[in-house]
Amino acid sequence: MAIKVGVIGLGNMGGGMAATLAGKGFEVSGFDLSDSALAAAQAKGVNPVKDRGELIRSVQVLILSLPKAEHVEAVCLGEQGVLQLGNAGLIVVDTTTSTPEASRKVAAELRAKGIAFIDAPVSGGPKGAASGTMSMVIGADDADLARALPVLEGMSGVRTHVGGVGAGNVAKIANNMLAACHLISTAEAVNMAAKAGVDPAKLIEGLNAGSGRSGASQVMFPTWVLNKAYDSGFTMGLMRKDVGLASDLCNAMDLDLPLSRTVAQLWKASAETLADNEDFCAIVQRTNAQLFGRGE
Ligand code: NAD
């Protein structure tokens, strides 16, 4: 019999994950506060459920793809949430870029009721979610991970088990701190080379064959920056949240990382000119509006 999977949060990422699993034979139901997200998921083979409690009660694996840790805590521990309504044996897979503290707190409370929680934040963007090729960094007990594996394999291409609950969040925050840094440092390299007379596209081609390459040079610049499309499906608001999570994590440990601190300041200041719903790659425009702007 098909595994019954629920997805709460059917946005850019969760919508793709739900559709991918439905396409692979899982029995997938979805819930979202937005009617348009529900309708879009329904069109891709997902059973739309209007009552969140009904979804929580009826599934074996529950995937969360929510904006922030506070949403995860509310859905898991709040009124009519997972703690109240989930059956013993349920596995919650949280793909939200959340915090290690929230994951550990939620996991401990759910565990007392026989419900497992693992943090499995993702990389690969909406394209990766819709094609089942995302990568995951996973924080989980071995036994919980083994039980969740058939569903995780259905929705991702690469999985790295980095430690116990919360470790996946730490690894994802580290990943996005680097991505935030690489976008700005690559933009600065393009600025320097352009001023010295080298074409940005040619520079990126050269960097990608050399040791200066990164996700920014290999994916972000060719796909969303140089063509001025700025349509990655990942917003400025969510990336600023992630950079803030890195700062919070460092502060909580009294860890001062000068380069990361500077990068975090640049992302925070970007709110002056770049709204939350702008594409995250638009940060490069702050280094040179003429070179990277849309030219409108
Ligand atoms: P999104 O804003 O497109 O989707 C979030 C969805 O959650 C929305 O449809 C919203 O209506 C819904 N939602 C919010 N609160 C809810 C609640 N209480 N109950 C039910 N639904 C609720 O965001 P996204 O881009 O899909 O990102 C989701 C998570 O994945 C974030 O934590 C983000 O940082 C992370 N992430 C995003 C990307 C990306 O490329 N977009 C990549 C990796 C990780």
Side-chain angles (χ1 to χ4, degrees), residues 8-14 31-34 37 52 65-68 71 75 95-98 122-126 172 232-235 238 241-242:
I8 297 184
L10 299 165
N12 284 326
M13 297 302 287
F31 172 82
D32 197 292
L33 298 175
S34 142
R52 191 184 73 185
S65 176
L66 295 164
K68 297 181 182 176
H71 303 107
V75 166
T95 68
T96 308
T97 305
S98 175
V122 295
S123 266
K172 175 63 181 171
S232 73
F234 184 43
T235 62
L238 287 175
K241 175 241 331 179
D242 296 348

Short mmCIF file of all heavy atoms in Angstrom, two decimals, residues 8-14 31-34 37 52 65-68 71 75 95-98 122-126 172 232-235 238 241-242, ligand 1:
data_model
loop_
_atom_site.label_atom_id
_atom_site.label_comp_id
_atom_site.label_asym_id
_atom_site.label_seq_id
_atom_site.Cartn_x
_atom_site.Cartn_y
_atom_site.Cartn_z
N ILE A 8 2.71 20.21 4.62
CA ILE A 8 2.16 21.48 5.11
C ILE A 8 3.10 22.59 4.65
O ILE A 8 4.29 22.60 5.00
CB ILE A 8 1.98 21.49 6.64
CG1 ILE A 8 0.97 20.41 7.05
CG2 ILE A 8 1.54 22.87 7.12
CD1 ILE A 8 0.63 20.38 8.53
N GLY A 9 2.56 23.52 3.85
CA GLY A 9 3.36 24.56 3.22
C GLY A 9 3.63 24.16 1.77
O GLY A 9 4.52 23.37 1.50
N LEU A 10 2.78 24.68 0.87
CA LEU A 10 2.85 24.27 -0.54
C LEU A 10 3.33 25.43 -1.40
O LEU A 10 2.78 25.72 -2.46
CB LEU A 10 1.47 23.80 -1.02
CG LEU A 10 0.89 22.59 -0.28
CD1 LEU A 10 -0.61 22.43 -0.57
CD2 LEU A 10 1.63 21.31 -0.66
N GLY A 11 4.37 26.13 -0.93
CA GLY A 11 4.91 27.28 -1.67
C GLY A 11 5.90 26.85 -2.73
O GLY A 11 5.82 25.75 -3.29
N ASN A 12 6.89 27.71 -2.98
CA ASN A 12 7.88 27.43 -4.04
C ASN A 12 8.55 26.08 -3.85
O ASN A 12 8.78 25.35 -4.82
CB ASN A 12 8.96 28.52 -4.04
CG ASN A 12 8.45 29.81 -4.66
OD1 ASN A 12 7.66 29.79 -5.59
ND2 ASN A 12 8.89 30.94 -4.13
N MET A 13 8.86 25.71 -2.62
CA MET A 13 9.54 24.44 -2.36
C MET A 13 8.55 23.31 -2.06
O MET A 13 8.59 22.24 -2.67
CB MET A 13 10.52 24.59 -1.18
CG MET A 13 11.65 25.57 -1.44
SD MET A 13 12.66 25.15 -2.87
CE MET A 13 13.58 23.75 -2.27
N GLY A 14 7.65 23.54 -1.09
CA GLY A 14 6.73 22.48 -0.66
C GLY A 14 5.81 22.02 -1.78
O GLY A 14 5.50 20.83 -1.88
N PHE A 31 -1.64 20.84 2.69
CA PHE A 31 -2.36 21.94 3.35
C PHE A 31 -1.53 23.21 3.24
O PHE A 31 -0.30 23.17 3.38
CB PHE A 31 -2.61 21.63 4.83
CG PHE A 31 -3.17 22.80 5.60
CD1 PHE A 31 -4.53 23.08 5.55
CD2 PHE A 31 -2.35 23.65 6.33
CE1 PHE A 31 -5.06 24.18 6.22
CE2 PHE A 31 -2.86 24.76 6.99
CZ PHE A 31 -4.23 25.01 6.95
N ASP A 32 -2.20 24.32 2.97
CA ASP A 32 -1.54 25.63 2.96
C ASP A 32 -2.59 26.66 3.33
O ASP A 32 -3.79 26.45 3.10
CB ASP A 32 -0.98 25.94 1.56
CG ASP A 32 0.05 27.07 1.58
OD1 ASP A 32 -0.34 28.23 1.85
OD2 ASP A 32 1.24 26.80 1.34
N LEU A 33 -2.14 27.76 3.91
CA LEU A 33 -3.07 28.84 4.26
C LEU A 33 -3.58 29.52 2.99
O LEU A 33 -4.64 30.14 3.00
CB LEU A 33 -2.37 29.88 5.15
CG LEU A 33 -1.86 29.38 6.51
CD1 LEU A 33 -1.10 30.48 7.22
CD2 LEU A 33 -3.02 28.89 7.37
N SER A 34 -2.81 29.40 1.91
CA SER A 34 -3.17 30.09 0.67
C SER A 34 -3.97 29.17 -0.26
O SER A 34 -3.53 28.07 -0.59
CB SER A 34 -1.87 30.57 -0.01
OG SER A 34 -1.95 30.43 -1.40
N ALA A 37 -2.10 28.34 -3.53
CA ALA A 37 -1.08 27.29 -3.39
C ALA A 37 -1.75 25.91 -3.37
O ALA A 37 -1.25 24.95 -3.98
CB ALA A 37 -0.26 27.51 -2.12
N ARG A 52 -6.36 21.41 8.54
CA ARG A 52 -4.99 20.97 8.86
C ARG A 52 -4.99 19.76 9.80
O ARG A 52 -4.20 18.83 9.65
CB ARG A 52 -4.23 22.13 9.49
CG ARG A 52 -2.75 21.89 9.62
CD ARG A 52 -2.07 23.02 10.34
NE ARG A 52 -2.36 23.02 11.77
CZ ARG A 52 -1.97 23.96 12.62
NH1 ARG A 52 -1.31 25.01 12.19
NH2 ARG A 52 -2.25 23.87 13.90
N SER A 65 7.22 22.52 5.01
CA SER A 65 8.03 23.45 4.21
C SER A 65 7.48 24.84 4.47
O SER A 65 6.70 25.38 3.69
CB SER A 65 7.95 23.10 2.71
OG SER A 65 8.67 24.06 1.95
N LEU A 66 7.86 25.38 5.60
CA LEU A 66 7.28 26.63 6.10
C LEU A 66 8.34 27.73 6.10
O LEU A 66 9.54 27.44 6.05
CB LEU A 66 6.72 26.39 7.51
CG LEU A 66 5.54 25.41 7.53
CD1 LEU A 66 5.27 24.88 8.94
CD2 LEU A 66 4.30 26.08 6.95
N PRO A 67 7.93 29.00 6.17
CA PRO A 67 8.94 30.06 6.09
C PRO A 67 9.98 30.02 7.22
O PRO A 67 11.18 30.06 6.95
CB PRO A 67 8.10 31.34 6.14
CG PRO A 67 6.74 30.94 5.63
CD PRO A 67 6.55 29.53 6.11
N LYS A 68 9.52 29.96 8.47
CA LYS A 68 10.45 30.15 9.59
C LYS A 68 10.21 29.16 10.73
O LYS A 68 9.14 28.54 10.81
CB LYS A 68 10.27 31.56 10.17
CG LYS A 68 10.59 32.69 9.25
CD LYS A 68 10.39 34.00 9.97
CE LYS A 68 10.67 35.16 9.01
NZ LYS A 68 10.41 36.46 9.63
N HIS A 71 6.87 29.26 12.57
CA HIS A 71 5.75 28.56 11.93
C HIS A 71 5.80 27.06 12.23
O HIS A 71 4.77 26.43 12.44
CB HIS A 71 5.76 28.80 10.41
CG HIS A 71 5.72 30.25 10.03
ND1 HIS A 71 6.81 30.92 9.53
CD2 HIS A 71 4.73 31.17 10.14
CE1 HIS A 71 6.48 32.19 9.32
NE2 HIS A 71 5.23 32.36 9.69
N VAL A 75 2.84 25.00 14.13
CA VAL A 75 2.17 23.85 13.51
C VAL A 75 2.37 22.58 14.34
O VAL A 75 1.47 21.74 14.44
CB VAL A 75 2.68 23.65 12.06
CG1 VAL A 75 2.28 22.31 11.49
CG2 VAL A 75 2.18 24.78 11.16
N THR A 95 11.59 20.36 6.44
CA THR A 95 12.54 20.83 5.42
C THR A 95 12.74 22.35 5.48
O THR A 95 13.51 22.91 4.69
CB THR A 95 12.06 20.46 3.99
OG1 THR A 95 10.89 21.22 3.68
CG2 THR A 95 11.76 18.99 3.87
N THR A 96 12.02 23.00 6.39
CA THR A 96 12.16 24.45 6.58
C THR A 96 13.60 24.81 6.96
O THR A 96 14.24 24.06 7.69
CB THR A 96 11.23 24.89 7.74
OG1 THR A 96 9.92 24.39 7.49
CG2 THR A 96 11.20 26.39 7.92
N THR A 97 14.11 25.95 6.49
CA THR A 97 15.38 26.42 7.04
C THR A 97 15.05 27.06 8.38
O THR A 97 14.66 28.22 8.48
CB THR A 97 16.06 27.44 6.09
OG1 THR A 97 16.20 26.83 4.81
CG2 THR A 97 17.43 27.82 6.62
N SER A 98 15.17 26.24 9.42
CA SER A 98 14.73 26.59 10.76
C SER A 98 15.93 26.65 11.69
O SER A 98 17.07 26.65 11.23
CB SER A 98 13.71 25.52 11.19
OG SER A 98 13.29 25.69 12.51
N VAL A 122 16.83 21.81 2.90
CA VAL A 122 17.14 21.44 1.51
C VAL A 122 17.87 22.53 0.74
O VAL A 122 17.80 23.71 1.09
CB VAL A 122 15.82 21.10 0.78
CG1 VAL A 122 15.17 19.87 1.40
CG2 VAL A 122 14.83 22.27 0.82
N SER A 123 18.54 22.11 -0.34
CA SER A 123 19.14 23.03 -1.31
C SER A 123 18.71 22.56 -2.69
O SER A 123 18.46 21.37 -2.88
CB SER A 123 20.67 22.95 -1.27
OG SER A 123 21.19 23.93 -0.42
N GLY A 124 18.71 23.48 -3.64
CA GLY A 124 18.38 23.08 -5.02
C GLY A 124 17.24 23.89 -5.59
O GLY A 124 16.93 23.76 -6.78
N GLY A 125 16.61 24.72 -4.76
CA GLY A 125 15.59 25.64 -5.26
C GLY A 125 14.33 24.95 -5.73
O GLY A 125 14.21 23.71 -5.70
N PRO A 126 13.36 25.74 -6.22
CA PRO A 126 12.09 25.18 -6.70
C PRO A 126 12.29 24.13 -7.80
O PRO A 126 11.55 23.15 -7.87
CB PRO A 126 11.35 26.41 -7.24
CG PRO A 126 11.91 27.55 -6.45
CD PRO A 126 13.35 27.21 -6.21
N LYS A 172 22.66 23.66 7.30
CA LYS A 172 21.98 24.50 6.30
C LYS A 172 22.29 25.98 6.53
O LYS A 172 22.50 26.74 5.58
CB LYS A 172 20.46 24.25 6.36
CG LYS A 172 19.62 25.13 5.46
CD LYS A 172 19.92 24.93 3.97
CE LYS A 172 19.07 25.86 3.11
NZ LYS A 172 19.50 25.82 1.70
N SER A 232 14.91 33.26 -9.40
CA SER A 232 15.34 31.97 -8.83
C SER A 232 14.23 31.25 -8.07
O SER A 232 14.31 30.05 -7.85
CB SER A 232 16.52 32.19 -7.88
OG SER A 232 16.05 32.81 -6.69
N GLY A 233 13.24 32.02 -7.59
CA GLY A 233 12.21 31.40 -6.74
C GLY A 233 12.60 31.38 -5.27
O GLY A 233 11.93 30.75 -4.46
N PHE A 234 13.68 32.07 -4.92
CA PHE A 234 14.09 32.20 -3.51
C PHE A 234 14.16 33.70 -3.22
O PHE A 234 14.85 34.44 -3.93
CB PHE A 234 15.45 31.53 -3.30
CG PHE A 234 15.92 31.52 -1.86
CD1 PHE A 234 15.06 31.21 -0.81
CD2 PHE A 234 17.24 31.80 -1.55
CE1 PHE A 234 15.50 31.19 0.51
CE2 PHE A 234 17.70 31.78 -0.24
CZ PHE A 234 16.82 31.46 0.79
N THR A 235 13.45 34.12 -2.20
CA THR A 235 13.29 35.57 -2.00
C THR A 235 14.38 36.19 -1.11
O THR A 235 15.01 35.51 -0.29
CB THR A 235 11.93 35.89 -1.35
OG1 THR A 235 11.89 35.26 -0.07
CG2 THR A 235 10.77 35.44 -2.22
N LEU A 238 13.62 35.65 2.61
CA LEU A 238 14.03 34.36 3.19
C LEU A 238 15.55 34.29 3.35
O LEU A 238 16.06 33.77 4.34
CB LEU A 238 13.51 33.20 2.34
CG LEU A 238 12.00 32.93 2.45
CD1 LEU A 238 11.57 31.84 1.47
CD2 LEU A 238 11.59 32.55 3.87
N LYS A 241 16.55 36.25 6.28
CA LYS A 241 16.25 35.45 7.47
C LYS A 241 17.41 34.47 7.75
O LYS A 241 17.88 34.36 8.87
CB LYS A 241 14.95 34.68 7.23
CG LYS A 241 14.55 33.71 8.31
CD LYS A 241 14.44 32.22 7.94
CE LYS A 241 14.09 31.78 6.60
NZ LYS A 241 14.06 30.34 6.37
N ASP A 242 17.89 33.80 6.70
CA ASP A 242 18.93 32.78 6.89
C ASP A 242 20.25 33.41 7.35
O ASP A 242 20.96 32.85 8.19
CB ASP A 242 19.16 31.99 5.58
CG ASP A 242 17.91 31.20 5.20
OD1 ASP A 242 17.00 31.08 6.04
OD2 ASP A 242 17.85 30.70 4.06
P1 NAD B 1 7.25 30.21 0.14
O1 NAD B 1 6.95 31.50 0.79
O2 NAD B 1 7.18 30.12 -1.35
O3 NAD B 1 6.26 29.07 0.73
C1 NAD B 1 5.88 28.97 2.07
C2 NAD B 1 4.43 28.50 2.09
O4 NAD B 1 4.04 28.25 3.44
C3 NAD B 1 3.44 29.53 1.52
O5 NAD B 1 2.65 28.94 0.51
C4 NAD B 1 2.61 29.95 2.73
O6 NAD B 1 1.26 30.25 2.41
C5 NAD B 1 2.70 28.70 3.59
N1 NAD B 1 2.48 28.90 5.01
C6 NAD B 1 2.98 29.86 5.82
N2 NAD B 1 2.58 29.66 7.10
C7 NAD B 1 1.81 28.55 7.08
C8 NAD B 1 1.11 27.82 8.07
N3 NAD B 1 1.11 28.20 9.34
N4 NAD B 1 0.41 26.72 7.68
C9 NAD B 1 0.39 26.33 6.40
N5 NAD B 1 1.03 26.97 5.40
C10 NAD B 1 1.73 28.07 5.75
O7 NAD B 1 8.67 29.76 0.68
P2 NAD B 1 9.67 28.70 0.02
O8 NAD B 1 10.58 29.43 -0.90
O9 NAD B 1 8.89 27.53 -0.46
O10 NAD B 1 10.53 28.30 1.31
C11 NAD B 1 10.09 27.41 2.30
C12 NAD B 1 11.26 27.09 3.22
O11 NAD B 1 12.30 26.47 2.46
C13 NAD B 1 11.88 28.35 3.86
O12 NAD B 1 12.31 28.03 5.17
C14 NAD B 1 13.07 28.64 2.97
O13 NAD B 1 14.07 29.37 3.66
C15 NAD B 1 13.50 27.25 2.57
N6 NAD B 1 14.21 27.12 1.29
C16 NAD B 1 13.78 27.78 0.17
C17 NAD B 1 14.47 27.61 -1.03
C18 NAD B 1 14.05 28.32 -2.31
O14 NAD B 1 14.84 28.30 -3.28
N7 NAD B 1 12.87 28.91 -2.41
C19 NAD B 1 15.57 26.76 -1.10
C20 NAD B 1 15.95 26.07 0.05
C21 NAD B 1 15.28 26.26 1.24
#
